[in-house]
Amino acid sequence: VTLFWQSLAPMQRDYSIYIHVFGRGEQRIGKRDSYPGRGTYPTRLWHPGDIVQDTFEVPIAADAVAAAAALLEVGLYDLATMQNLPAVDGSNQSLGRPVLGRVKIAAATPPAIVQRRSATATFGEIVRLASYNLGATTARPGDRVQVTLYWDVIAWPDADYTVFVHLAGPDGRALSQGDGPPLDGDYPTSFWSPGEYLPDTHTLNIRSDVPPGQYPVWVGLYQLESGARLSVTSSDGTPAGDRVVLGTIQVEQAQ
């Protein structure tokens, strides 16, 4: 990681630099702490207007869960007090935590053993829904059903897509849903690579007002900003709309 610092005012202390990498579930999987220039150019010697270039290697933990799009956080702190210098953006608004961006943590993703198989469907010629696990086939209003999707990436996605999981009524509208980014937001689709095989779990929250009955579970992908869904192609190459039915859930009478 190469950083370019510009000094804005004289400093009376020698501040330390930290670079932290956060992976799945905000777990810290890499860190590097150092003085600027590895101690050869302390901040108290910087002059206003100086631009200082510093390059660091940040080791990633061998047991880091991957694949992931890890967050790269960088800042300055006072080693004596362990207090970070506050970070603001160009409009002088507090950043909270100064995250520079994300870095892909790659890993082999072999296909998993699953209990159920879906009809093979391809979304936007980008990703194939190879299989799935439906956590329950019966539920009551207020229940939460786990739905695990197994994505087989076949091309480079051109955007970040959101997954929708809907319990659909007779008119096709969602009675309950479990929309969200894949892999809890830890690995957006724009980081996916062809050949990856990714398990992705979502929670379908059965609304308390869903009447008893048997309902299909629909799955698809869409862009959050526009709402545009990826088109679906069935296993025989024919267009199949913009969603796939996984199976059905029997909603029973509430107790």
Side-chain angles (χ1 to χ4, degrees):
V1 180
T2 298
L3 306 173
F4 297 86
W5 301 97
Q6 183 173 26
S7 176
L8 302 179
M11 289 173 274
Q12 304 303 316
R13 293 178 178 273
D14 291 335
Y15 292 104
S16 298
I17 294 171
Y18 74 86
I19 304 174
H20 293 171
V21 183
F22 296 91
R24 293 272 192 97
E26 286 286 319
Q27 294 293 313
R28 190 169 66 188
I29 60 173
K31 62 176 294 189
R32 173 68 72 195
D33 290 73
S34 179
Y35 283 116
R38 301 189 179 183
T40 62
Y41 194 22
T43 56
R44 60 184 168 80
L45 299 182
W46 294 9
H47 302 287
D50 283 354
I51 295 178
V52 179
Q53 175 181 336
D54 234 342
T55 299
F56 302 91
E57 290 185 352
V58 183
I60 301 300
D63 59 354
V65 178
L71 297 173
L72 189 66
E73 182 178 336
V74 175
L76 293 163
Y77 68 97
D78 185 342
L79 183 62
T81 63
M82 298 304 292
Q83 293 295 310
N84 291 352
L85 285 180
V88 298
D89 63 15
S91 301
N92 206 37
Q93 299 297 310
S94 176
L95 288 175
R97 56 188 300 200
V99 174
L100 296 188
R102 306 185 84 150
V103 59
K104 180 184 176 80
I105 308 298
T109 56
I113 299 174
V114 296
Q115 297 173 358
R116 300 173 74 86
R117 300 244 165 218
S118 69
T120 301
T122 302
F123 292 79
E125 302 303 321
I126 295 172
V127 61
R128 184 172 66 98
L129 180 61
S131 51
Y132 69 93
N133 282 340
L134 194 57
T137 55
T138 61
R140 297 183 185 276
D143 283 355
R144 298 157 61 90
V145 178
Q146 299 296 311
V147 179
T148 301
L149 311 170
Y150 295 86
W151 301 110
D152 185 6
V153 186
I154 58 178
W156 299 95
D158 58 354
D160 288 332
Y161 293 97
T162 298
V163 177
F164 70 83
V165 181
H166 290 171
L167 187 74
D171 60 358
R173 295 185 180 182
L175 294 176
S176 299
Q177 60 190 63
D179 292 22
L183 287 84
D184 295 321
D186 289 335
Y187 196 40
T189 57
S190 59
F191 285 85
W192 293 8
S193 303
E196 291 181 326
Y197 191 89
L198 303 168
D200 175 30
T201 299
H202 296 263
T203 301
L204 180 59
N205 298 296
I206 309 298
R207 288 198 331 233
S208 59
D209 60 351
V210 175
Q214 191 169 47
Y215 303 100
V217 177
W218 293 98
V219 168
L221 291 162
Y222 66 96
Q223 283 190 283
L224 186 62
E225 295 80 5
S226 65
R229 295 181 178 182
L230 286 179
S231 59
V232 178
T233 304
S234 63
S235 57
D236 60 4
T238 59
D242 57 14
R243 58 184 184 176
V244 171
V245 63
L246 298 187
T248 60
I249 291 179
Q250 179 68 41
V251 178
E252 299 179 343
Q253 185 74 41
Q255 292 181 330

